[in-house]
Amino acid sequence: MFNLVRYFSLLSFGLIALVASLLTFYYRSITLDQLLSHEQNRAEDFTRVFENSLWPHFRPVLDAATSSTPTSSISNAQFSADIARMMHGTDVIKIKLYSLQGRTVFSTDPKQIGESKASNAGFLAARSGQPISELTHRNQFDAFEGVLEDRDVISTYVPIYAKQAGQDRVEGVFEVYLDVTTFVQTADEKLKWVSIIVLAVLGGLYLTQLVVVRRAQSILRVQEIALQDANRALDHRVNERTQELQAEIIERRHAEHRLDHLAHHDPLTNLPNRLMFRQRLTQSLEDWARQDHQIAVLFIGLDHFKEVNETLGHVIGDELLVVIALRLQTCLEPTDLLTRMGGDEFSCILQGIHTPLDAATKADALLELFTRPFVVGENLLYLSASIGISLAPNDDHEVAKLVRNANAAMYQAKARGRNRSHFYTPEITTNAQDRLRLAGLLRKAISADELRVHFQPKINPDDGQLCGAEALVRWTQLEMGPVPLARFIPLAEEIGFIIELGTWVLRETCLQIMAWDAAGLRVPRVSVNVSVKQLERGDLVQTLRAILAETGLDPSRLELEITESVIMAVDDAITVLVELRALGVQLSIDDFGTGYSSLSYLKKLPIQTLKIDRAFVMGIGKNKSDESIIRAILEISNSLGLHTVAEGVETEEQLDFLRQRGCHQIQGFFYGEAIEQHDFLTRWKPHQARLPLSDKHLQAV
């Protein structure tokens, strides 16, 4: 801390000493000036008196001194003694008279007569008409009364004037010596006391200020200590806050890193996500322009992964995805990038591809990883994958198109049997575009009134009478014309339109049966195909109940055809079939013999009809194995009390074989293809259907 007392003491002491000295000097100076002024006036007055009374005695001497031949001077002792007596008791202790040339023409000290004062400043000032006094201290001084010791003397030079031509003219200089020792001593004594008083006053002020300053110093010291404490506390808080800010900055950086990681990585597998995939592929395509190599994009889709989720749950499914991601990474190079695109799909960017064979080799290596089972908890899971491959720049050089091409190639690999890879070709895009366009048109087909239900008759082989029909949907698109059933039904399954389409077919079929009844044609029973999607959705029973109530159709006149594969794919298929049967509708297994259901499982199903697939019928007369399978199906059907229908009958040989083995109904081109309801009415109304003899089987059921 700044030592205020110390510096104030030194400064104040110095200033007080300076002020005291200045005041003393100033007071002494004023006193001396007043003394000189006073004595100068006295000397002038004395000179006037001297001129008035004694000048006649001095004029001749002065005239003689100014003439070229001086003849006299005032030098007699008697005259000097008279002057001494005249000045006795006064302060005048010596007088002198000078000519204008500066020569001493008279002095009370005879030894000084004749001396020259021509260069004396006081003489010169007086000769010019300006009286002047000067105070000097003499250790010894020759005065009227003898030698004086230790004296303060004021010598005053006074000009002597004479009238000449009406004007005063200086004709000599008179010097008067006055003894002011007593006055000076008195003045010095007073000055001493004044100085003491001044010093005392200033000292008092000094002490007062010193006390104030010391008090201020103590206050400042207290404040300094408080400030130091406050500064230390502030520094401590600043340090703490700085550490907190540093911690916050570090935490924020970690959070930014985490956010960046989350923004670019899949939270489940910790693989790069779609965003990072696009960024890396964009960078790779930019680098490709400066390098001589190709870039391969692999789109990896897991086969039947949905079944794992549905069977074991999503938790096991997520764990399986993590295990798959870890295994896939073991097959890749550091320059490759594996990402999870979402769901059960992964993608991979392969750098440094020189030929398509390099990409195919890498894809085969990835597929090889799926030959070993995946261990997830206590589950040993087998899974396969389908891989689509697109190459840059061969297939395209834009990120979106490369990904789309690889994705399309992956679906092509799935369509060709799964567990394989497939390179992208332009035809795939064309087919995908056509498929997309067709899907859009299909969704509008009902509202555009482009769909129709055709009916193919089912005939009793014993008497040739109509005993039923199968409803088959047909689509005639306004611009494309007729669209094959095999083309739009799988598409409807894929896009989920099959639910709406199946409901529409059921309603149209029921309405048509009722319309035929009104027109005089009674078709005993009409069958409608049911898809796996309709069974999986779970509301087929409610939907069918509403349609039957809406149309007023007897449920026994409606038959639902369900394939073996559909029944095996739906977990609670038996429950749904039991509920459908409870409505009163008939149930039929379509394409029987092509699936893998056991006879014990078949026994549990609440069905009434087995339908022999046309693949076996086509082998009649050509393939003994097909004939043996047909015999076995007919025997099983008879043993279980089921009705049988053979589809795809085209020749009389096929008809005879089936009739002889006891098949109840025949369906195929031999009796006619599927036709519109009006044509069906026209064709079969004249041959009014009657229940065939084999209807006893239906009644028994």
Side-chain angles (χ1 to χ4, degrees), residues 138-293:
R138 306 292 182 89
N139 293 327
Q140 288 184 346
F141 188 83
D142 293 332
F144 296 130
E145 300 176 355
V147 178
L148 302 177
E149 301 288 339
D150 196 17
R151 293 290 174 173
D152 291 306
V153 178
I154 293 179
S155 62
T156 303
Y157 294 88
V158 181
I160 299 174
Y161 295 93
K163 290 288 185 177
Q164 187 176 17
Q167 294 182 350
D168 291 335
R169 181 177 65 84
V170 178
E171 58 180 1
V173 175
F174 192 72
E175 183 180 10
V176 179
Y177 290 87
L178 298 174
D179 184 5
V180 292
T181 302
T182 303
F183 181 84
V184 171
Q185 290 176 349
T186 302
D188 288 341
E189 185 69 18
K190 291 181 179 179
L191 180 61
K192 180 179 70 172
W193 285 106
V194 169
S195 299
I196 291 173
I197 294 172
V198 169
L199 288 174
V201 172
L202 293 178
L205 292 175
Y206 169 77
L207 292 176
T208 302
Q209 292 180 349
L210 180 61
V211 171
V212 173
V213 170
R214 286 181 63 85
R215 177 58 181 168
Q217 178 74 36
S218 64
I219 294 173
L220 291 176
R221 186 174 299 279
V222 172
Q223 292 177 345
E224 179 189 24
I225 294 173
L227 286 175
Q228 289 175 349
D229 293 340
N231 287 335
R232 281 192 294 269
L234 180 60
D235 291 340
H236 180 69
R237 290 196 298 272
V238 169
N239 291 333
E240 288 182 344
R241 184 54 182 162
T242 301
Q243 293 176 358
E244 291 175 359
L245 290 176
Q246 291 175 347
E248 289 178 4
I249 291 172
I250 294 174
E251 180 62 27
R252 180 173 295 179
R253 289 176 179 172
H254 289 166
E256 290 175 353
H257 291 321
R258 288 195 297 270
L259 289 175
D260 182 73
H261 183 83
L262 291 174
H264 293 86
H265 289 79
D266 173 52
L268 177 62
T269 62
N270 204 34
L271 290 176
N273 61 9
R274 187 186 300 268
L275 176 61
M276 189 171 181
F277 172 83
R278 292 183 179 277
Q279 292 176 351
R280 177 69 69 85
L281 184 55
T282 301
Q283 184 62 47
S284 298
L285 292 173
E286 292 176 357
D287 296 339
W288 161 80
R290 301 187 294 269
Q291 301 177 11
D292 185 19
H293 65 78

Side-chain angles (χ1 to χ4, degrees), residues 563-582:
T563 63
E564 280 186 280
S565 58
V566 169
I567 295 175
M568 298 301 295
V570 180
D571 293 337
D572 56 348
I574 295 180
T575 302
V576 177
L577 294 178
V578 170
E579 292 178 355
L580 289 172
R581 181 65 184 132

Side-chain angles (χ1 to χ4, degrees), residues 46-57 86:
F46 177 78
T47 301
R48 300 296 177 265
V49 173
F50 191 82
E51 286 180 347
N52 294 332
S53 60
L54 299 177
W55 185 244
H57 298 283
M86 184 177 58

